[in-house]
C-alpha cells in the first residue's frame, strides 16, 4: 500500500512539473553525483555514450549565442518564443557526454550552473553547450529559437540573429543551406573545410518568419556524395 502511494505521488509530481521525467534512452554515467537524473524540475547530468551517431545532426538552434559565465553562482535564463516546449541541452564536443531535459511550463526557465555544468571543465564553457527547443506538430518535430543568457552575461539589447549549429562525424569540404521551396537556391556557408565534431554556424536572416523547412547540404572531404539534413523550424 505504501509503495502504491509513493508511485502515485511521483506520478502527480511529474504531471505538476515538480519532478522531471527523464529520457529512458539515456544511460546515466557511473558518477552518482553528476550522473543524468532528476534535479528538481529538470533531468540533468552526464551519461554513458552510445556507439552509433548520425553523420550530420543539429546540435543548437538559438536566438543569439548561448551565453553564461563559468561561475558557480551563475543562473541561466531561458526565454522561449512559445509555451510548453521541450528543452534539451547537449554537449557539443565529441567527448562531452552531457544532457539536460526539461518540459517548459510556460515560456521561461531559470537553470543554475552549479549543479552540473560548473562541475566539469568542458561543460562550464558556454561554447560547448548546444540548446534545442522543440515540440511535435503533427508528424513534424519543429524547432523554436530560444534565448539563453546567464544573469551575469545578459545583454542590454536583445539578440536578433538566429543561429543554427550542426556537427558532422567526418570532415566536411562544403556546407550550404536553403529554404525548401521552389526556386530557392543553396546559400553557401563560409569556409572550405569544416572539422569533424566542430560546430558549423548557419545564421538565419531576421526576415525569415513563420514555419519553415530548412535543407542543409554537406559534402564530406572523403566522398563526393552529399549528405542532407532537413529541419523544420518555427521562427
Amino acid at each position: 500500500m505504501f509503495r502504491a502511494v509513493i508511485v502515485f505521488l511521483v506520478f502527480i509530481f511529474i504531471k505538476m512539473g515538480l519532478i522531471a521525467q527523464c529520457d529512458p534512452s539515456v544511460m546515466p554515467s557511473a558518477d552518482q553525483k553528476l550522473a543524468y537524473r532528476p534535479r528538481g524540475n529538470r533531468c540533468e547530468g552526464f551519461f554513458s555514450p552510445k556507439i552509433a551517431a548520425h553523420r550530420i545532426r543539429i546540435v543548437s538552434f538559438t536566438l543569439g549565442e548561448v551565453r553564461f559565465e563559468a561561475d558557480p553562482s551563475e543562473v541561466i535564463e531561458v526565454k522561449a518564443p512559445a509555451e510548453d516546449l521541450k528543452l534539451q541541452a547537449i554537449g557539443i564536443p565529441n567527448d562531452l557526454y552531457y544532457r539536460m531535459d526539461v518540459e517548459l511550463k510556460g515560456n521561461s526557465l531559470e537553470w543554475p550552473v552549479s549543479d552540473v555544468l560548473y562541475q566539469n571543465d568542458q561543460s562550464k564553457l558556454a561554447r560547448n553547450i548546444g540548446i534545442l527547443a522543440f515540440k511535435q506538430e503533427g508528424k513534424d518535430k519543429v524547432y523554436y529559437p530560444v534565448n539563453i543568457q546567464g544573469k551575469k552575461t545578459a545583454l542590454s539589447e536583445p539578440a536578433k540573429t538566429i543561429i543554427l549549429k550542426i556537427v558532422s562525424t567526418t570532415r566536411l569540404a562544403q556546407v550550404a543551406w536553403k529554404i525548401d521551396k521552389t526556386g530557392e537556391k543553396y546559400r553557401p556557408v563560409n569556409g572550405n573545410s569544416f572539422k569533424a565534431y566542430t560546430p558549423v554556424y548557419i545564421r538565419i536572416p531576421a526576415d525569415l518568419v513563420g514555419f519553415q523547412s530548412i535543407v542543409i547540404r554537406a559534402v564530406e572531404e572523403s566522398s563526393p556524395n552529399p549528405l542532407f539534413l532537413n529541419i523544420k523550424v518555427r521562427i
Side-chain angles (χ1 to χ4, degrees):
M1 179 66 180
F2 177 74
R3 180 180 176 82
V5 171
I6 294 298
V7 171
F8 175 75
L9 289 175
V10 168
F11 174 79
I12 294 299
F13 288 161
I14 288 174
K15 287 294 185 182
M16 294 175 63
L18 300 177
I19 297 178
Q21 189 169 12
C22 296
D23 185 340
S25 69
V26 178
M27 181 175 292
S29 68
D31 185 336
Q32 293 186 359
K33 180 182 177 182
L34 297 178
Y36 178 79
R37 62 177 174 80
R39 298 177 190 273
N41 62 352
R42 67 193 190 281
C43 282
E44 184 181 16
F46 295 95
F47 63 90
S48 298
K50 296 181 179 179
I51 301 299
H54 295 291
R55 288 165 70 186
I56 183 172
R57 61 190 176 95
I58 181 174
V59 294
S60 195
F61 187 59
T62 57
L63 181 60
E65 283 282 12
V66 176
R67 297 167 55 89
F68 60 85
E69 287 286 347
D71 184 310
S73 63
E74 177 70 291
V75 176
I76 299 171
E77 292 183 307
V78 178
K79 295 179 182 178
E83 295 188 347
D84 303 330
L85 299 177
K86 292 184 177 181
L87 185 77
Q88 188 177 96
I90 58 178
I92 294 178
N94 186 40
D95 57 349
L96 179 55
Y97 306 117
Y98 166 83
R99 177 84 170 261
M100 190 277 283
D101 292 285
V102 63
E103 293 191 12
L104 296 180
K105 303 302 178 183
N107 63 351
S108 62
L109 174 75
E110 291 198 348
W111 166 21
V113 305
S114 57
D115 292 348
V116 180
L117 285 172
Y118 185 74
Q119 306 301 322
N120 178 279
D121 287 341
Q122 289 196 85
S123 63
K124 69 169 59 174
L125 302 178
R127 67 173 181 268
N128 289 334
I129 302 300
I131 304 291
L132 297 170
F134 54 88
K135 67 167 57 175
Q136 198 71 26
E137 297 185 10
K139 63 179 182 179
D140 296 321
K141 184 177 185 178
V142 181
Y143 294 93
Y144 289 70
V146 289
N147 183 251
I148 308 289
Q149 291 192 73
K151 291 187 175 182
K152 293 179 178 292
T153 61
L155 298 172
S156 56
E157 292 289 331
K160 296 180 180 179
T161 302
I162 295 173
I163 301 173
L164 189 158
K165 299 178 187 178
I166 63 167
V167 296
S168 171
T169 57
T170 59
R171 196 177 186 97
L172 301 175
Q174 299 174 15
V175 179
W177 70 280
K178 71 173 184 176
I179 301 302
D180 189 14
K181 62 182 181 181
T182 303
E184 279 288 319
K185 295 181 179 180
Y186 279 102
R187 313 180 195 195
V189 177
N190 291 336
N192 54 18
S193 183
F194 304 90
K195 295 180 180 178
Y197 300 106
T198 299
V200 177
Y201 284 61
I202 297 173
R203 289 175 167 80
I204 308 298
D207 60 351
L208 193 64
V209 297
F211 178 84
Q212 305 288 345
S213 179
I214 296 176
V215 180
I216 297 170
R217 179 181 185 274
V219 178
E220 298 170 294
E221 289 190 349
S222 59
S223 171
N225 300 319
L227 304 174
F228 291 95
L229 180 63
N230 191 300
I231 301 168
K232 306 296 193 299
V233 304
R234 191 175 294 283
I235 301 172

